[in-house]
Amino acid sequence: MPTDLLEQFSGALTARADAVRGAVAAIRISEPRHLTATLWQPDVAVASEQSLPERDEFELVVAGGSVVNAKLAGRDPGTNIAALRLERAVEVPTLMNGEVNAGALALAFGADGAGGVSVRLGAVNLAGPEWTSSGGGRIERNIVLDLRLARAEEGGPVLDAAGARLGISTFGPRGKVLVIPAATVERVLPALLKDGRIARGWLGVALQPVAVPDALHEEAGQSSGVMVMSIVADGPAAKAGVVAGDIVLAVNGTPTRSLRRIAALFASDSIGRKADLRVIRSGTVRSLWATIEARPAG
């Protein structure tokens, strides 16, 4: 690449860092450890829920090095989003949300702990469709970045080459760097600020994958299921007559071998609906009907 083009490219990256600096904050965890938060509104920051300590009050170092106190407003393990309410508003740059495409350049920003930013440059490795996390959270896009990220940088804003906001960074399985899409943040954030949590459906059972007995393969129509290891007293499953030792084959026709698809059945809009549980008990296959309830807080 000619020198002048390299200089233009470098200058463009510097300009992006300058433009987003006011949206990046460091969450002080312990000296000298910190995490990164993204200032989504003048008085609201969002962070990666999985790395945020279980406490209610935090100190944020914002652009320029000033410190702002913040309180936990809500957290949602399902979408891996935590919301912090700042005690005073700060100036936040206006960032437009962008469309993500595989192969596009991506810039992941982190906090340096002193009011500045760090920058990582990579590519969008995957821009897949909507998916459901193992915690039952609906994520609008499956975005994987081809770059490395330090632990302290998790939770910072991710922009495309044009400066449009794709979302915030987080770590996925095996250290992959994922993006929680801006659309997911904007959908979940109002409920977190209002209620402190996202209500999702719940049956009140602990499950363990097991093989279906050979003699029941034909009747069950599958070779695996999940066994009920324990059951919450007076929970939805208990009310439906489910007992420990039952092997659940399917929920509303969805085989339990696909746990992510099962998790998708217990989104917020599932609360109050009926669930058809196809189970094996005492060598026979039967159906039980449960009414999905909201998972208790805490």
Side-chain angles (χ1 to χ4, degrees):
M1 184 181 291
T3 302
D4 58 340
L5 291 180
L6 285 174
E7 290 177 349
Q8 291 176 27
F9 183 61
S10 178
L13 295 182
T14 301
R16 295 285 178 260
D18 288 340
V20 79
R21 190 181 307 273
V24 180
I27 305 172
R28 286 179 173 172
I29 303 302
S30 61
E31 189 62 39
R33 184 168 168 259
H34 72 274
L35 298 172
T36 296
T38 298
L39 292 165
W40 208 264
Q41 300 172 12
D43 63 342
V44 174
V46 294
S48 177
E49 192 276 339
Q50 66 187 6
S51 296
L52 192 69
E54 292 283 349
R55 61 191 198 216
D56 295 327
E57 297 185 352
F58 298 89
E59 287 186 343
L60 271 60
V61 183
V62 298
S66 62
V67 177
V68 181
N69 292 326
K71 292 185 177 181
L72 179 70
R75 55 196 310 159
D76 177 37
T79 55
N80 195 25
I81 297 171
L84 305 175
R85 177 80 74 176
L86 281 60
E87 69 173 6
R88 62 177 174 85
V90 298
E91 186 174 350
V92 178
T94 300
L95 299 173
M96 303 299 293
N97 295 339
E99 291 295 326
V100 63
N101 295 289
L105 289 178
L107 299 168
F109 296 88
D112 67 0
V117 298
S118 60
V119 187
R120 303 278 182 167
L121 174 64
V124 177
N125 176 259
L126 175 67
E130 178 180 300
W131 61 288
T132 301
S133 74
S134 58
R138 179 167 63 89
I139 315 295
E140 267 74 356
R141 296 292 302 273
N142 184 12
I143 307 171
V144 182
L145 302 183
D146 186 13
L147 53 77
R148 296 177 63 86
L149 201 67
R151 285 290 169 182
E153 296 169 321
E154 181 185 15
V158 179
L159 307 185
D160 65 14
R165 182 173 59 190
L166 303 181
I168 67 172
S169 63
T170 192
F171 288 105
R174 297 176 295 280
K176 287 184 179 180
V177 179
L178 309 181
V179 177
I180 303 172
T184 303
V185 176
E186 293 185 339
R187 174 175 54 80
V188 169
L189 189 56
L192 290 183
L193 295 175
K194 178 178 180 289
D195 302 321
R197 61 190 291 263
I198 302 297
R200 291 194 175 86
W202 176 74
L203 289 177
V205 291
L207 303 170
Q208 175 69 40
V210 295
V212 171
D214 292 343
L216 292 173
H217 278 192
E218 184 174 351
E219 184 179 2
Q222 59 195 73
S223 60
S224 64
V226 289
M227 180 176 285
V228 176
M229 306 303 293
S230 63
I231 187 165
V232 176
D234 296 323
K239 294 174 184 176
V242 176
V243 298
D246 283 351
I247 297 176
V248 183
L249 298 172
V251 179
N252 286 342
T254 300
T256 52
R257 62 177 175 267
S258 176
L259 293 180
R260 288 191 184 275
R261 290 180 63 192
I262 293 298
L265 299 177
F266 293 90
S268 299
D269 60 0
S270 71
I271 298 170
R273 293 181 180 176
K274 293 286 187 179
D276 177 14
L277 309 178
R278 190 165 178 257
V279 307
I280 295 175
R281 181 187 301 171
S282 302
T284 61
V285 178
R286 64 184 69 188
S287 285
L288 300 171
W289 287 89
T291 300
I292 300 172
E293 298 179 9
R295 179 183 294 275

